[in-house]
Amino acid sequence: WYNRGYANGMVKALRDLGQADGLERLEGIDPADLIAGHEPLPWGKAYRHGFEMGERETHEITEQGTRA
């Protein structure tokens, strides 16, 4: 679940940064409510943490800062 969240965080960050070229073949990221009601469970925490790290680290490696 961590890796799934990480990948979705990366895709979201790239789209937010206007760098979505090459992502057209992806069907999209998971819906925002994917873990709704499951946030306290281990897999819900892993997904959310992975998403946040993927988004943050994508901003870092593109040298465009992190999202608040």
Side-chain angles (χ1 to χ4, degrees):
W1 282 100
Y2 177 87
N3 291 341
R4 183 176 183 159
Y6 193 95
N8 286 314
M10 288 176 57
V11 170
K12 180 181 182 306
L14 289 170
R15 288 184 176 157
D16 290 349
L17 293 167
Q19 297 181 13
D21 294 344
L23 298 177
E24 298 85 22
R25 64 189 174 99
L26 298 177
E27 294 180 16
I29 62 175
D30 290 326
D33 64 349
L34 177 71
I35 60 169
H38 300 275
E39 296 88 351
L41 299 175
W43 69 269
K45 290 178 182 180
Y47 179 89
R48 188 70 214 148
H49 180 63
F51 189 95
E52 291 168 358
M53 294 300 294
E55 186 176 23
R56 184 181 81 191
E57 290 179 359
T58 299
H59 282 272
E60 288 173 0
I61 64 170
T62 59
E63 298 181 3
Q64 296 188 31
T66 58
R67 293 187 62 109

